[in-house]
Amino acid sequence: MAEPEFTATGVRIGKRLRSLTRAGQVRISDGRLELLTSYGSEIDSAPVQAVRASKPWFAHEDRALADVNGTRYLLTLGDHDPAPGEPGPPAARRFIEAVRNAAGRSTAERSH
């Protein structure tokens, strides 16, 4: 199994007004995005090219939206990247970039 392209732990994952986990995980690996509980159980997953990641208009810097299989999740990541070697989730901006980069890469791989 390849190294994950993006991993974030300690992520609050919510759906509408309901919190699903306060310390979840977000992982992009092998062309798939996975949303996991703090225990590692899958909340949802999808091929990364089918996922839409964006920044909510009127929200804090630490929030990102992820549309996965027709469900919109609100992810609360860090408002800035943690210092090297320090625990904590990376910035929401980095998550959005990782989804877009992984989607572009997997699309390019299929066309060759």
Side-chain angles (χ1 to χ4, degrees):
M1 189 158 111
E3 281 292 307
E5 298 157 32
F6 177 87
T7 303
T9 57
V11 178
R12 173 179 239 131
I13 301 172
K15 184 164 72 171
R16 299 197 184 253
L17 297 175
R18 200 172 113 226
S19 177
L20 300 175
T21 182
R22 292 185 188 191
Q25 300 175 38
V26 177
R27 186 170 39 212
I28 298 174
S29 181
D30 297 329
R32 287 190 71 79
L33 170 81
E34 297 175 291
L35 302 177
L36 307 169
T37 67
S38 55
Y39 299 108
S41 301
E42 184 176 291
I43 295 170
D44 208 343
S45 71
V48 77
Q49 56 275 30
V51 174
R52 281 190 28 221
S54 60
K55 184 92 181 84
W57 279 26
F58 299 103
H60 295 282
E61 284 294 311
D62 62 348
R63 304 226 170 130
L65 292 173
D67 289 327
V68 182
N69 297 322
T71 303
R72 178 171 287 171
Y73 295 95
L74 178 63
L75 310 176
T76 305
L77 296 113
D79 55 358
H80 61 280
D81 289 328
E86 293 295 314
R93 173 186 40 76
R94 215 169 105 221
F95 163 71
I96 295 167
E97 290 170 4
V99 169
R100 291 179 181 158
N101 290 341
R105 186 170 24 258
S106 56
T107 303
E109 288 171 359
R110 279 189 281 128
S111 66
H112 288 279

